[in-house]
Amino acid sequence: MSQSLPDESRINTINTASLTYSPRQIIQTAWIVIAVFMLSNAPTSLYIHWKQQFSFTSGTLTLIFGCYILALVITLLVAGQLAGRLGRKKIILPGLIAALLACLCFMMAQSVCLLLVARFLTGIAVGITVTASMAAVVDAGGEGRKRQAALIASIAMVTGAGLGPVMSGVIVRFLPHPVFTVFTVELVVQLSAIALALRLPAAQEKMAEKSRPLRLPSIASKNIFHLMLGILFFAPGLTATSMMLSLGPVLLNRFSHASSPMIAGLMACMMFSVAVGTQLLCRKQPIARVFYFSGAALIVAMMSIIFTLHGGGVKTIFIAALAAGAAQGLGQLGGLTLLSLNIAAERRAEANALLNIGAYIPAGLLPVVTGYLIDLTCLSLGFTLLAATLTALSMVAITLLVVQRRVSLY
């Protein structure tokens, strides 16, 4: 029998194994994830509108997106620990309040500054969601259904990410006052999530270490390989979808003359629909195979970007988006499943935080660098360098997986 660390023997953990939730409770908890991720990508169809209204550059456009990533990463540093100490519910509710405030800021935005504030608040909400809310979905599955619950949590994330832009795209295309209408709908969605969050069970027990000062998230040394492998596959896919969300409308406008917000929203929705579809198709596959598929999809996405730059047109832009969605969806599924199967429940939110920190930092920095590089040089050079960087990262991940194949992923 393995020996526990001395500190761990003094910790009263939340006994999630004893909690028996119905499938309805799992779905209700997953709706909280969907709601927040709807808000995270709802602005996609409005970026061109704001770009014309406020006359900002591609660099500023990606900076707005990067502000969201910054808030998300900062939140991830503490949200996982707080969710483990205080219980999921006490952390989820402030995140949803931040989402409500973000909606109000978007509705009132008359300058880039307020857009930055709105995106920062959205980042806080998403940071809490990918730790506490997604961990709550896995908790709701119980110890016997961790793999299935991790799949539902992952699908909820990409479903919300896809619904947001298509909803906003349809509103921008067919309804007046698009900004006000989009975020009025989002207010209603967030209020519904708050109503469900209020019904979540409180933590059965509080951890004895709650009085200790907050620290950087951490995991046991035996799980470092699992975490690094998840990051190496999740990060390139997430960066690819972030690029398509922030700069995809620019590609559509420049290379296909399809500048309609509805087309940009449809592309984003299809991208995340593919992410959901590939997760469902591969849910029973070995984790190693899921990772291989993710790496291959990422390479296809980057090659499609290169073809777009050399006259590929709207078809190759959509192929790039669909392949990027598959890369993110499978990388995320593999990473979440790997952690959920190998890490105890009381450290799961913290592990989710580390996975997302590792993935969102490049997803925020690389598109911003690309945006400013486009402003300084040209669009083709910026996208080519980004495509080369992500392809290289994917090749490193695949190589590591091949070299370490003797290491069990379960």
Side-chain angles (χ1 to χ4, degrees):
M1 182 180 297
S2 62
Q3 187 175 6
S4 299
L5 295 173
D7 285 344
E8 292 177 347
S9 66
R10 297 195 296 268
I11 297 175
N12 296 320
T13 60
I14 302 171
N15 185 12
T16 55
S18 66
L19 300 178
T20 55
Y21 296 146
S22 66
R24 181 179 178 182
Q25 176 121 26
I26 298 175
I27 294 171
Q28 288 178 342
T29 309
W31 173 251
I32 298 171
V33 178
I34 293 173
V36 174
F37 274 93
M38 280 184 67
L39 175 62
S40 73
N41 289 340
T44 299
S45 299
L46 295 163
Y47 281 141
I48 296 299
H49 168 81
W50 284 320
K51 194 172 187 291
Q52 295 171 348
Q53 181 180 359
F54 302 134
S55 301
F56 52 70
T57 64
S58 297
T60 302
L61 177 60
T62 54
L63 183 62
I64 293 171
F65 188 83
C67 187
Y68 154 77
I69 300 291
L70 174 64
L72 194 157
V73 171
I74 292 172
T75 305
L76 289 173
L77 291 173
V78 297
Q81 296 174 70
L82 291 175
R85 296 180 184 200
L86 305 178
R88 318 301 193 207
K89 182 176 181 178
K90 290 183 179 179
I91 306 304
I92 291 170
L93 286 170
L96 292 173
I97 292 172
L100 283 177
L101 293 175
C103 292
L104 294 174
C105 288
F106 277 124
M107 292 170 67
M108 298 183 296
Q110 295 297 321
S111 67
V112 172
C113 290
L114 208 51
L115 290 179
L116 291 169
V117 172
R119 288 302 277 167
F120 193 87
L121 288 167
T122 304
I124 293 174
V126 173
I128 289 174
T129 298
V130 297
T131 51
S133 299
M134 294 184 74
V137 176
V138 177
D139 293 345
E143 290 298 308
R145 294 184 297 274
K146 289 190 291 185
R147 183 168 186 138
Q148 295 91 329
L151 173 66
I152 292 172
S154 188
I155 288 176
M157 174 178 170
V158 292
T159 298
L163 286 175
V166 77
M167 177 272 294
S168 62
V170 170
I171 289 174
V172 171
R173 175 65 178 84
F174 294 108
L175 297 178
H177 312 294
V179 173
F180 178 83
T181 307
V182 166
F183 293 105
T184 298
V185 172
E186 284 294 342
L187 276 173
V188 174
V189 171
Q190 303 310 315
L191 287 171
S192 72
I194 289 175
L196 292 175
L198 289 170
R199 300 173 61 184
L200 288 175
Q204 287 188 321
E205 301 177 31
K206 294 183 179 180
M207 298 177 65
E209 66 169 15
K210 66 182 185 299
S211 60
R212 297 178 184 174
L214 294 176
R215 51 176 172 75
L216 292 175
S218 63
I219 58 172
S221 58
K222 65 180 180 179
N223 299 125
I224 291 176
F225 174 74
H226 302 125
L227 176 65
M228 293 305 300
L229 198 61
I231 289 172
L232 281 172
F233 281 98
F234 184 24
L238 184 63
T239 304
T241 56
S242 298
M243 176 190 69
M244 298 307 298
L245 287 171
S246 58
L247 294 173
V250 176
L251 278 176
L252 285 169
N253 188 38
R254 182 73 63 88
F255 290 99
S256 68
H257 306 293
S259 59
S260 168
M262 187 173 178
I263 295 177
L266 177 63
M267 183 182 71
C269 181
M270 291 176 63
M271 179 170 69
F272 289 110
S273 295
V274 168
V276 173
T278 52
Q279 287 178 341
L280 289 172
L281 288 173
C282 297
R283 67 189 186 278
K284 295 183 180 180
Q285 295 292 326
I287 295 176
R289 188 173 298 171
V290 171
F291 280 144
Y292 283 130
F293 289 158
S294 175
L298 190 282
I299 293 171
V300 170
M302 295 304 101
M303 293 302 101
S304 298
I305 290 293
I306 299 300
F307 287 140
T308 298
L309 300 175
H310 294 85
V314 68
K315 291 182 181 179
T316 54
I317 298 175
F318 268 78
I319 291 172
L322 299 182
Q328 179 193 324
L330 294 174
Q332 177 191 19
L333 174 63
L336 282 174
T337 304
L338 197 58
L339 296 181
S340 68
L341 292 176
N342 288 279
I343 294 179
E346 66 271 12
R347 300 299 294 275
R348 194 173 295 141
E350 212 170 330
N352 286 352
L354 287 170
L355 175 67
N356 283 279
I357 288 171
Y360 273 102
I361 287 176
L365 289 177
L366 291 178
V368 170
V369 171
T370 301
Y372 279 103
L373 188 60
I374 289 170
D375 291 336
L376 293 173
T377 57
C378 65
L379 188 144
S380 295
L381 179 60
F383 273 107
T384 299
L385 290 177
L386 180 59
T389 301
L390 293 183
T391 300
L393 286 174
S394 184
M395 294 301 297
V396 168
I398 292 172
T399 301
L400 179 62
L401 188 57
V402 171
V403 170
Q404 297 290 337
R405 60 187 174 186
R406 67 184 182 277
V407 179
S408 173
L409 299 183
Y410 304 96

